[in-house]
Amino acid sequence: MGQQPREQWGTRAGFLMAAIGSAIGLGNIWRFPYVAYENGGGAFLLPYLIAMLTAGIPLLILEYGIGHRYRSSAPLSYRRIFRPAEAIGWWQVAICFVVAVYYAVIIAWAIRFTWFSVNQAWGDDPDGFFFNDFLQMSPEPGVVSGFVSGVAWPLVAVWFVTLAVLIIGIRRGIEILNKITIPLLVVLFGLLVIQALTLDGAVIGLNAFFTPDWEAMLTGKVWIAAYGHVFFSLSIGFGIMVTYASYLRRKSDLTGSAMVAGFANSSFELLAGIGVFAALGFMATAAGTAVDEVATSGIGLAFIAFPQIISSLPFGGSLFGVLFFGCLVIAGLTSLISIVQVIVSAVQDRTGLGRTQTVLLVGGATALASILLFPTPEGLHFLDVFDHFINQYGIALAGLVLVIFVGWGVRKLPLFQSHVNAVSSIHLGLWWRVTLGGVTPVLLGIMMWDSLRTELATNYGGYPTGYLLAAGWGVAIGAIVFGVVMSCFPWKRADAIARHDAERVSDEDGTPVQLEAPNDIAPSGTAVPAFDKEKEEDR
């Protein structure tokens, strides 16, 4: 089967918007403010910045370097580093599948709540409205027992838009969408923050958010929280950035792009913290309570606390609600598209199918699993357990294994440092190898051990052991098993690429030569010249 030419981003700005769009997701809005507040407030910003510089951006640069050097999906890129490492790539593909099936339904909720904000349909009881009227949530977890149409139809719409953008492609679909939605997201959230700052009690909320607790910085818990949040915040560990970087041109500033994407993400998180805590300060003032009694994160913040705030506003509540939930929709959609693209890219490389066929096949399967599981009375139980286990023992663990493999196993950090330096304006030094080879794996390992110890002590969320074994540990371990099994199947085209890679060597000064893309290898293994056109484009 002939291979499709590999797509490319139209511009560096387009790639940056897509990378920023992937990084800025629901967690930036509903997780970061609370994590900062719980871990020292303003003092948390220093560990957070250090974590960004010593773990987040270095790991982001590594993923950019892997994707750009090998110009392949995550499984094929890792295989080209060392054959058994292909399993890590398929593990990340499985993680993306699990995340995508539940992430989409949260976007569907946000779509409905954007509309509910117009007339504040939740009434005087946002809690009861969300769980009972809207989700029709079952009291106990279990097998699917029904279908909730009010969640199903916006979920179908989410998947229709996602698959349509993916079918259109990298340059005309994902790039154009992000060029429109990311500036729009910043403008909308900026308006929301301005409105939140005018509320009575906003200063009280900001004081709670920014007042530093310097003693907290002396505890290991705060530093682990900082590194853990940075890791999840930048979309690293999914294979997303490996995939996105594989569509870059040969002459691409990787370190500069990583710095811009990383600090743009952090800036938005800070903006989110200001908006969220200004609103929570208003809520606390209106209720006559302290901020710590109303501060929360996640689903409780978005779909219960914020509707209460909207209902309490003396004027402009509908606009405030539309802005907030509209921002959730945009942030979620750009992240969802990047997650599904990892699966599409991997299957394209593995099968040689065209983009449309692949999106309809794997994207359709992902959408079907999402629609069958989550618009149901048991959907929130599935979501809660899936999210907890695939985050703690999927994304974080896969990232830890990747860093240990590259840094300690095959010792390829100098190779990727040379590759990145050859195309970037800001050169990497010893600090990059030290942070990735030492700081990042040690702190991620501590974070993993601490999480696992807590997990084994008590059942997460009070769920029955059998349910956690099936929907929690079963999903997390199943992703690993999937990765190992997929890597065991023969892959003739990948073997042809490996033979071609072996024939290419570094030039005399030791600078790595750019390896040819997977589509530069014909099915027979014959090398096909493919760089002439790309060199012209680079000029």
Side-chain angles (χ1 to χ4, degrees), residues 137-163:
M137 180 180 171
S138 64
E140 299 293 335
V143 296
V144 172
S145 62
F147 210 60
V148 182
S149 60
V151 178
W153 68 258
L155 180 58
V156 171
V158 167
W159 279 112
F160 177 81
V161 171
T162 300
L163 299 187

Side-chain angles (χ1 to χ4, degrees), residues 408-491:
W408 299 356
V410 295
R411 300 186 178 182
K412 293 289 187 180
L413 287 179
L415 172 67
F416 291 110
Q417 178 181 341
S418 298
H419 175 79
V420 170
N421 285 345
V423 298
S424 300
S425 58
I426 304 172
H427 284 195
L428 303 175
L430 179 63
W431 70 272
W432 185 75
R433 297 202 306 274
V434 170
T435 54
L436 277 186
V439 176
T440 302
V442 169
L443 285 171
L444 279 177
I446 292 172
M447 185 180 75
M448 193 63 56
W449 168 251
D450 185 65
S451 175
L452 184 61
R453 185 179 57 183
T454 304
E455 204 75 60
L456 297 177
T458 57
N459 280 11
Y460 169 71
Y463 287 104
T465 301
Y467 188 76
L468 291 181
L469 288 174
W473 291 111
V475 168
I477 295 172
I480 299 174
V481 172
F482 174 83
V484 173
V485 170
M486 283 296 298
S487 68
C488 293
F489 288 105
W491 193 348

Side-chain angles (χ1 to χ4, degrees), residues 209-298:
F209 179 58
F210 283 111
T211 299
D213 178 5
W214 298 111
E215 291 185 4
M217 290 179 58
L218 301 178
T219 64
K221 169 181 171 290
V222 170
W223 289 88
I224 291 173
Y227 277 86
H229 181 77
V230 162
F231 189 82
F232 293 122
S233 175
L234 289 176
S235 290
I236 45 184
F238 292 80
I240 294 173
M241 294 309 171
V242 174
T243 303
Y244 268 13
S246 73
Y247 299 109
L248 282 168
R249 297 172 185 270
R250 288 199 308 147
K251 297 178 181 177
S252 298
D253 185 353
L254 301 182
T255 55
S257 297
M259 293 286 185
V260 172
F263 285 106
N265 175 71
S266 299
S267 299
F268 186 86
E269 287 191 315
L270 188 59
L271 184 68
I274 293 171
V276 167
F277 268 84
L280 291 176
F282 165 78
M283 183 178 177
T285 300
T289 61
V291 173
D292 61 358
E293 293 185 32
V294 297
T296 184
S297 66

Side-chain angles (χ1 to χ4, degrees), residues 3-21:
Q3 302 300 323
Q4 303 295 320
R6 193 162 190 82
E7 299 171 86
Q8 287 185 338
W9 300 105
T11 61
R12 179 174 179 245
F15 164 71
L16 281 172
M17 287 295 180
I20 292 169

